[in-house]
Amino acid sequence: MLVNLRDICAIAEQNNMAVGAFNAPSLEAVRAVIDAAEETGYPVILQHAEVHENIVPLDVMGPTMVALAERSSAQICVHLDHGENLSYLHRALEYGFTGVMFDGSTLPYEDNVYYSARAAEMCSGYDCGLECELGSMGAREGDVLTEDGAEAQAGGSGAVYTDPDQASDFVSETGLDILACSFGTVHGLYRGKPQLSFDVLKAIRDRVRIPLVMHGGSGVSDEDYRQAIDAGIRKINYYTYGAKYAGEAACEVADAVRASGAGSPVYWHDLTSAAYDRLVKDFIDVMKVFANGAKPVA
Ligand code: 13P
């Protein structure tokens, strides 16, 4: 069933857990997210990122995600990830998304406030919650393995931690529902061990008392996930590792067919099936960690 972003984060709040928010730019990934949620009994957030428009367009993926979520027994929020244009947000709202993110984190603060507040006005006409971002994680999820991401991870110029006092102003000036904040995670692959600042996270949570969002969820240790959830993270965005594991699973199938020497072709459907199986396994594993000891809530 389709669930509003606010309601799904309220479930996470009540259970001191985080809901997994998975980017799914293929039918295999969409099915894997939904099937993992049905299998585990945990609510889930199914995401389409604006930056993935070139992989699969919103007008294909949006209606597909909404239709599959509606008929599922799992509690699913269909969410737009990193919307940077209000017109794109509007299209997602019209397709029936129950959550959207407006990401003005690269804009000057005043502009981020202005456009985030416009996004909140837009959402008020729909059954939809709003996520906005303050601070910067140094790279976008399309930019795997960039120098920016590596710098951000090291606390370099790409990383701008969210300022807790500014976060408090930002929440009251915009009317958002949940806040994506920067405290040391980056999108994409880490080159070393991520250094998260739980002090920054706790200071933000003390001031805003609303659900907080971790972006760049790949590559974080189980212990860091737990500490982040205990400090108020209620939504964890996860993409790169799942995509990497699915790619590896597809390559293994292709290698095995070629190594057999039988001369048979590598069939596309065998690659997508292997990728789907690997995604389901990975999503189930991380959903159980994000549950932070909470029992299934379906
Ligand atoms: P990763 O790609 O690091 O898993 O992060 C995903 C994300 O934050 C999407 O917004």
Side-chain angles (χ1 to χ4, degrees), residues 23 47 81-82 141 186-188 215-218 237-241:
N23 294 88
Q47 301 196 139
D81 189 31
H82 291 288
E141 43 287 292
V186 295
H187 294 117
H215 281 248
S218 290
N237 281 25
Y238 181 91
Y239 174 62
T240 301
Y241 268 34

